[in-house]
Amino acid sequence: MGTVSARSIIVAPSVLAADFSRLGDDIQRVEEAGADWLHLDIMDGHFVDNISFGPAVVATVRKLTKLPLEVHLMIERADHYVPRFVEAGANSITVHVEPEAKHDVAKTSRRIRDAGCHAGLSLNPATPFESIEPYLDAIDLLLVMTVQPGFGGQSFRAEMMEKVRSAREWNTANGKSLHIEVDGGINANTAKIAIENGANVLVAGTAIFGAKDYPAAIKELRGE
Ligand code: DX5
Ligand code: ZN
């Protein structure tokens, strides 16, 4: 999934907002529209107050596209389920750092990398940046939630940009190229704010799948 260069903004449509009655068409359309990755939200009704889909849908999406699949696990005991998402064809697996996720973060990240996937770590709005600092050397992507996870269509929380800046400073101070991702309420306006603060990966559900013109929506997110 490559390293960061100053100009490369990665757009990852969130499949949660796709029309599941014609999932194949929607995925083909965003791929042709210029999406870089696909973002797949896995919710278990425990870690978050909603239930989405599991490995079987990820495996279906795998057959529908060559795009890298980034799986966002908003579930308890992610370590137990990681092998199933690897099996389903995930290229990157992002887990949560909060204790409510009930897993050993370092061990799970290592397991994801050992399985040949990129390891991502996510923190909720209430979770301070300090809580993920011990793990930054063991991951490839940091996902700063810009909404409380569980639902699409929520409003962007600009105060989360402080964590995005902290991640950028960490990259600079350590000569690293950790992907800095934002997720939740990302549209043409909030994408601009996120990029200015250091984000290079933009997850968007409503702003893309809710648009009539997918290519224009993706270009707008990149600020083109
Ligand atoms: C929320 C998910 C997001 C969500 C984004 O918990 O992690 O990926 O689907 O949807 P929008 O872009 O509509 O906020
Ligand atoms: Zn997500």
Side-chain angles (χ1 to χ4, degrees):
M1 293 175 98
T3 57
V4 183
S5 70
R7 295 291 126 240
S8 64
I9 298 300
I10 294 164
V11 174
S14 166
V15 172
L16 190 69
D19 179 346
F20 275 70
S21 71
R22 46 185 192 79
L23 186 60
D25 292 350
D26 247 359
I27 286 177
Q28 192 182 346
R29 280 182 66 199
V30 284
E31 184 165 355
E32 287 166 2
D36 301 293
W37 303 351
L38 287 181
H39 181 88
L40 297 150
D41 292 303
I42 315 300
M43 303 174 180
D44 67 350
H46 295 282
F47 182 73
V48 289
D49 184 22
N50 196 3
I51 298 171
S52 62
F53 47 82
V57 170
V58 173
T60 300
V61 174
R62 180 70 288 164
K63 293 192 200 104
L64 293 168
T65 179
K66 290 192 179 46
L67 288 175
L69 302 185
E70 185 212 1
V71 169
H72 177 194
L73 296 182
M74 290 162 277
I75 66 173
E76 292 180 352
R77 299 172 52 227
D79 52 332
H80 175 74
Y81 293 97
V82 160
R84 297 187 205 175
F85 289 100
V86 172
E87 176 80 23
N91 300 94
S92 172
I93 299 177
T94 298
V95 299
H96 271 261
V97 72
E98 291 79 18
E100 293 78 14
K102 300 182 181 165
H103 68 110
D104 177 323
V105 174
K107 218 163 128 194
T108 307
S109 303
R110 216 171 24 252
R111 224 173 159 180
I112 293 168
R113 276 187 163 175
D114 289 351
C117 287
H118 286 263
L121 194 54
S122 182
L123 65 174
N124 287 342
T127 307
F129 184 79
E130 292 65 43
S131 67
I132 49 105
E133 277 181 300
Y135 308 108
L136 289 176
D137 272 318
I139 60 172
D140 307 291
L141 176 146
L142 174 68
L143 169 48
V144 175
M145 289 304 302
T146 43
V147 297
Q148 186 60 29
F151 301 90
Q154 300 181 75
S155 300
F156 174 82
R157 297 176 60 164
E159 71 273 20
M160 295 303 126
M161 291 306 100
E162 193 182 329
K163 296 178 199 173
V164 172
R165 291 194 298 276
S166 298
R168 178 174 58 187
E169 282 151 26
W170 185 86
N171 265 343
T172 310
N174 297 280
K176 298 280 184 177
S177 52
L178 189 69
H179 284 301
I180 304 171
E181 182 175 52
V182 287
D183 182 12
I186 300 298
N187 57 35
N189 300 323
T190 56
K192 192 167 179 296
I193 296 168
I195 293 167
E196 281 164 2
N197 285 277
N200 79 297
V201 185
L202 308 172
V203 175
T206 312
I208 296 175
F209 289 109
K212 283 201 174 40
D213 184 338
Y214 289 4
I218 290 176
K219 275 201 174 69
E220 271 186 5
L221 288 170
R222 285 188 215 287
E224 292 171 5

